[in-house]
Amino acid sequence: MQRVPGYEKLNFPRQWEGKDYAVSSPDSPARWAGFPDAAYRDFVFSLKQAAPHTGRMNQMNQARETADVLATTGPVAPPRSSFQILPGADPVADELAGGVLLLGNFDGFHLGHRALLRAAADARRAGPLGIMSVEPHPRQLFDPGASPFRITTERIKHEAFRRLGFTFAFAPRFDQAFAGQSAEAFVEDLLVRALRVAHVVVGEDFRFGHKRRGDVSTLRSLGADLGFGVTAVAAVRQQDVVCSSSLIREMLRLGDVAGASALLGHPWSVEVAARRQSSGVMEIGWPDAVIAPPAGTYRVRLRRLAASATIGAGSLEIGARGCYLLLDDARSPAIPAGALALDVLDRDDLGSDQSPTLRHRTPER
């Protein structure tokens, strides 16, 4: 491949190695302004240029189609250093009023959620762009004994919101009092009095309020009375299946990390605890609430939280004795213990004909 000044060879998941493709380097004037985060942009370009040279024809075709969607659903604004997290229902300051708000759970911000983001960009004028995502996830309150089901952790979720250009995240505590609000109280007390929204964007199946009695028609009726607009967005489909958190969870449980990452629009990221390092091996503490993929070997990279630079890469071994990261370079500088972001790139121990594909899924909504 002819080298182009300002471009670099991208080293991404191992099944794509050995194929020439180039992406704009972070320092190049040709850098695509629509994707201000380097890791996110590089992921898009790697998907668009990946060739099915390992025999995974279905997966690579799906990756290209996914990249075409991503190219139109990137961040609507540069990452914000002033991104705010609002934990309570106090009235917002004037600079946060009069904006567009996305409503949903957003456990893993996937392609369906990016369609909401695109609709918000269309509805937005000069006001702020906000997103509501409660903590803990409602399922953790209603079914505390459930097996791990979350796609990611709270801090990784907020990292994604900042990267995508949101001005603020409204992150109230989801407890019995919050769950017991009527649909009318949710709208009047939170959306109107506290957040002072001008417009809200939801999925077409959005439900809210006590016992999920509120729906899009309820929201539109209340919005007409109280002075805010409503946009409902249809589900996004990939290869005749709905792009949903349920589908992504199923893929992760099966170890189909590459497929899940394609639907997320970025590598699957999890906040982990790095416990110790010895001779190029680190013990990794996996978060209790997050889905753990099946026992096996996975290609991963480590980052500091809210940073894009890789501080370590290697193979993550998941087995009966726990999780251990075998660093590619045992002589690399010591990686700090504590909370880090782990990007899981692909499964590393399956043959090319063993990887599941979207065509074999029958997902839940």
Side-chain angles (χ1 to χ4, degrees):
M1 179 182 67
Q2 182 179 2
R3 303 298 291 170
V4 179
Y7 280 68
E8 62 188 3
K9 181 84 173 285
L10 177 65
N11 180 20
F12 208 68
R14 182 169 289 179
Q15 77 269 24
W16 296 341
E17 288 178 8
K19 187 68 182 178
D20 284 339
Y21 50 91
V23 297
S24 176
S25 76
D27 299 324
S28 168
R31 181 179 179 182
W32 191 4
F35 292 89
D37 178 77
Y40 176 68
R41 182 208 61 233
D42 290 354
F43 179 73
V44 172
F45 276 97
S46 68
L47 285 175
K48 288 182 75 65
Q49 300 298 328
H53 63 283
T54 63
R56 291 186 177 179
M57 185 71 75
N58 288 341
Q59 187 171 334
M60 295 300 101
N61 286 340
Q62 180 263 330
R64 284 197 193 88
E65 292 170 10
T66 298
D68 289 338
V69 175
L70 284 172
T72 64
T73 57
V76 298
R80 300 185 66 93
S81 59
S82 59
F83 173 71
Q84 298 182 50
I85 299 172
L86 310 178
D90 295 331
V92 298
D94 288 344
E95 62 265 23
L96 297 182
V100 178
L101 183 73
L102 275 66
L103 297 176
N105 286 324
F106 305 112
D107 178 27
F109 202 91
H110 54 64
L111 295 186
H113 298 145
R114 291 182 191 278
L116 302 186
L117 181 57
R118 187 168 64 249
D122 292 340
R124 185 185 183 197
R125 289 177 174 81
L129 177 64
I131 185 167
M132 176 177 169
S133 181
V134 300
E135 285 291 338
H137 190 286
R139 193 184 301 182
Q140 291 174 276
L141 175 68
F142 296 130
D143 190 5
S147 58
F149 69 91
R150 288 191 64 152
I151 295 171
T152 192
T153 52
E154 180 178 5
R155 284 207 280 187
I156 296 290
K157 179 175 68 173
H158 290 160
E159 172 187 287
F161 295 163
R162 183 200 65 81
R163 184 184 69 235
L164 288 164
F166 286 98
T167 314
F168 68 89
F170 178 48
R173 179 169 179 77
F174 191 83
D175 53 19
Q176 291 292 352
F178 190 97
Q181 295 177 104
S182 68
E184 293 76 12
F186 171 81
V187 170
E188 293 172 6
D189 295 342
L190 295 181
L191 299 188
V192 176
R193 293 197 185 101
L195 298 177
R196 301 161 64 188
V197 299
H199 200 94
V200 297
V201 178
V202 297
E204 61 184 2
D205 57 353
F206 178 71
R207 304 301 291 262
F208 66 102
H210 184 52
K211 295 186 178 180
R212 295 168 53 86
R213 287 177 176 149
D215 58 13
V216 172
S217 63
T218 309
L219 198 58
R220 284 194 168 122
S221 176
L222 291 168
D225 291 341
L226 297 171
F228 63 86
V230 177
T231 298
V233 180
V236 170
R237 291 182 171 270
Q238 283 291 100
Q239 295 189 358
D240 297 324
V241 296
V242 173
C243 178
S244 67
S245 296
S246 296
L247 172 57
I248 292 168
R249 292 185 184 106
E250 181 189 356
M251 299 173 94
L252 293 176
R253 290 190 181 102
L254 292 171
D256 190 2
V257 172
S261 293
L263 293 185
L264 285 167
H266 53 79
W268 177 39
S269 298
V270 180
E271 180 186 344
V272 298
R275 290 178 176 159
R276 65 173 180 262
Q277 179 175 342
S278 176
S279 301
V281 179
M282 296 191 68
E283 183 180 0
I284 299 295
W286 197 266
D288 292 338
V290 173
I291 295 168
T297 305
Y298 299 83
R299 290 296 300 172
V300 300
R301 64 187 179 202
L302 280 172
R303 298 179 288 109
R304 288 182 172 84
L305 291 168
S308 59
T310 299
I311 60 173
S315 297
L316 182 71
E317 301 279 355
I318 298 179
R321 294 187 297 173
C323 300
Y324 294 89
L325 173 59
L326 283 65
L327 294 168
D328 288 340
D329 185 359
R331 299 170 297 177
S332 61
I335 295 172
L340 294 171
L342 182 79
D343 296 335
V344 189
L345 305 179
D346 195 12
R347 189 159 184 175
D348 206 30
D349 58 352
L350 294 180
S352 62
D353 60 344
Q354 291 179 279
S355 176
T357 68
L358 280 172
R359 290 175 189 248
H360 304 301
R361 303 285 193 271
T362 307
E364 305 172 27
R365 284 299 304 273

